[in-house]
Amino acid sequence: MSWGSFVAMGDSFTEGMNDAYPDGTFRGWADLVAARLAIDTGPDFGYANLAIRGKLLDQIIDEQLEPTLAMTPALVSVAGGGNDSLRPRVDPHSLVEKIDAVVGRLRSTGADVIVFRFADVTAHLPGQRIVGPRAAVLNDGATAIGEKYGAYVVDLFGDSAFRHPHMWSPDRLHLSPGGHRRVAAHVLTALGVGVDEEWLLVPPTPEPTPWLMARGADLRWARQHFVPWVGRHLLGHSSGELITAKRPSLAPIE
């Protein structure tokens, strides 16, 4: 199959953090997928990316769904709920119901839809016992939504390569450039489109870090990434509150 247009909805995962272009803006898996789809479709292919870091699911729906529908795209990716799962109180089943409604509305227009079973990041973050079960509900929900609406389900959780530290950036929450390439390969494979096999390469697993060095790394991570994140949320701020969508409307791939 080929698609004449693609709109990506979501948060930092879809915006492309932390896969930087030379100018400091972010590329990410969605840009990589769009560039590959454009090869088959030609210069008339249109791509929009509405994703903004830090967005909660309700914000994604309120700010991105109607603009997406207005563009009448042939293909849409929907990824959200991860930021909600990190909040102190959240009902993951409610998140699944909201995603279900979004996918149902998009499918009713004839668009093909991509949803995700997210890779497991809980091993690298505090609060595993809280976040892990929430993430499991979201992933099971994605499977059910895919079956219900005939959406493409990209299973990152089932890929053990995402347990490799090379797949993640130093903040332990966002993908590295290698991680984004691997996600792009999974998406294109699910769509039945050929991929660059180098995107699936994973370096050898490093030797276990000695306990004392590992604890030191944890403390540095907490000081550089976790504490500022907590501070922002205590003050009611978001990393994306001053950010606008990098591709707010359908446009050709340069």
Side-chain angles (χ1 to χ4, degrees):
M1 294 182 63
S2 62
W3 294 267
S5 54
F6 169 40
V7 176
M9 299 172 54
D11 50 30
S12 59
F13 169 72
T14 303
E15 183 187 348
M17 293 178 70
N18 286 316
D19 179 20
Y21 284 113
D23 65 358
T25 60
F26 294 119
R27 176 178 58 180
W29 67 265
D31 284 19
L32 293 168
V33 167
R36 177 62 185 85
L37 295 178
I39 293 175
D40 291 340
T41 305
D44 293 332
F45 178 82
Y47 167 50
N49 189 321
L50 308 183
I52 296 177
R53 69 197 75 169
K55 293 296 183 181
L56 301 173
L57 182 59
D58 282 343
Q59 294 173 315
I60 293 171
I61 296 171
D62 292 344
E63 299 169 11
Q64 300 177 25
L65 179 57
E66 291 302 328
T68 296
L69 291 168
M71 287 184 268
T72 62
L75 179 67
V76 183
S77 65
V78 179
N83 290 318
D84 301 77
S85 297
L86 298 175
R87 295 299 176 100
R89 296 180 181 179
V90 65
D91 177 7
H93 297 282
S94 174
L95 298 178
V96 172
E97 292 174 358
K98 293 174 181 179
I99 296 170
D100 181 292
V102 169
V103 174
R105 192 166 176 196
L106 291 167
R107 289 291 287 148
S108 70
T109 70
D112 286 320
V113 179
I114 304 164
V115 294
F116 293 87
R117 287 173 51 85
F118 293 108
D120 183 12
V121 302
T122 59
H124 310 292
L125 298 172
Q128 295 97 327
R129 294 181 180 179
I130 297 174
V131 178
R134 295 173 177 177
V137 171
L138 286 175
N139 283 346
D140 290 345
T143 299
I145 289 169
E147 294 174 352
K148 179 178 180 179
Y149 295 107
Y152 293 96
V153 180
V154 178
D155 185 12
L156 306 180
F157 184 82
D159 184 356
S160 61
F162 284 104
R163 299 187 182 96
H164 195 296
H166 177 76
M167 296 290 104
W168 302 95
S169 61
D171 67 11
R172 304 185 182 183
L173 184 62
H174 298 102
L175 293 166
S176 68
H180 278 286
R181 288 194 295 272
R182 193 168 185 89
V183 172
H186 275 289
V187 172
L188 291 169
T189 298
L191 296 176
V193 180
V195 302
D196 187 335
E197 293 184 358
E198 290 187 359
W199 291 0
L200 291 168
L201 295 179
V202 179
T205 301
E207 293 294 326
T209 304
W211 186 89
L212 189 60
M213 293 180 63
R215 299 296 75 75
D218 288 343
L219 289 173
R220 289 191 297 274
W221 168 81
R223 183 172 60 251
Q224 296 173 10
H225 301 288
F226 183 64
V227 172
W229 181 87
V230 171
R232 283 198 305 270
H233 287 276
L234 288 175
L235 294 172
H237 296 306
S238 167
S239 58
E241 60 188 13
L242 300 178
I243 305 298
T244 57
K246 63 180 182 180
R247 294 181 66 95
S249 58
L250 291 174
I253 300 292
E254 296 181 0

